[in-house]
Amino acid sequence: MPIKLRGALTRASSDGHQPVGASGHQQRCAATAGHAVLYVSAHDMLTQLRASRADNSYERRLLRFTTPALLIIDDLGLRPLTGEEGIDLYEIVRRRYERAATCITSNRALEEWPPLFGDALLASAAMDRLLHHSHVLTIEGDSYRNPPLAKRTRAPRAALVEPAAR
């Protein structure tokens, strides 16, 4: 069975299909080793949890995000957390702490994360768990998707001039 991407639970497949995308390397390594991997945007994950409160499937939906061996949450902090989203994020972090790997991508510096939770105590507890045993990678430089104009434009090619026919 091929590995499904973008928000689908993935496992290594015997036919050689590999996950690709923004977090493809982490997915590929974990899935190839036979571990369950879930890639989800922070917005989609929190929206699903909010909706699950309405239909009383919250615990089941929470299990979807707490049971994979590797959870990759993309773009945390792209938009502010509202309502119960800070609590939901904390609950995911708390349940995964020292049990499973979590990879979170963000365009925000770590110092900007605590205010996202909307509660200093909740933020402190979540950040303590996130940063304990963690490896923080800070990538600096030009955006891969939007490099500076100088790198996007190529130097004009020399015109090919054909000799005149005799």
Side-chain angles (χ1 to χ4, degrees):
M1 179 168 134
I3 295 174
K4 295 182 179 180
L5 305 177
R6 299 284 292 166
L9 193 61
T10 61
R11 289 201 183 272
S13 64
S14 59
D15 61 0
H17 285 82
Q18 298 292 324
V20 295
S23 301
H25 179 71
Q26 293 96 336
Q27 285 182 328
R28 192 169 29 258
C29 291
T32 301
H35 299 289
V37 178
L38 178 64
Y39 170 89
V40 65
S41 74
H43 175 73
D44 288 347
M45 178 183 72
L46 296 169
T47 299
Q48 289 177 37
L49 288 170
R50 184 175 50 249
S52 71
R53 279 180 168 48
D55 66 7
N56 293 321
S57 63
Y58 181 77
E59 284 300 320
R60 187 177 62 225
R61 181 57 61 173
L62 199 55
L63 282 174
R64 179 169 194 254
F65 302 114
T66 57
T67 55
L70 172 61
L71 174 65
I72 302 168
I73 303 171
D74 195 21
D75 284 335
L76 179 66
L78 208 55
R79 61 178 195 78
L81 303 183
T82 59
E84 303 287 316
E85 291 177 342
I87 295 169
D88 291 341
L89 181 57
Y90 167 75
E91 192 59 28
I92 288 168
V93 169
R94 185 187 71 79
R95 290 187 185 196
R96 296 184 62 77
Y97 177 63
E98 293 191 332
R99 292 186 182 100
T102 305
C103 176
I104 300 175
T105 69
S106 180
N107 286 323
R108 294 186 180 272
L110 276 179
E111 299 78 37
E112 297 177 65
W113 288 24
L116 293 173
F117 288 88
D119 177 274
L121 186 58
L122 191 66
S124 176
M127 295 304 291
D128 283 350
R129 287 169 174 82
L130 279 173
L131 295 174
H132 188 229
H133 304 303
S134 72
H135 299 278
V136 177
L137 303 177
T138 303
I139 300 172
E140 296 178 2
D142 300 328
S143 168
Y144 176 77
R145 290 183 215 140
N146 192 17
L149 187 56
K151 290 184 180 179
R152 280 188 276 168
T153 57
R154 294 183 176 163
R157 291 185 177 173
L160 177 61
V161 179
E162 294 186 30
R166 294 188 182 183

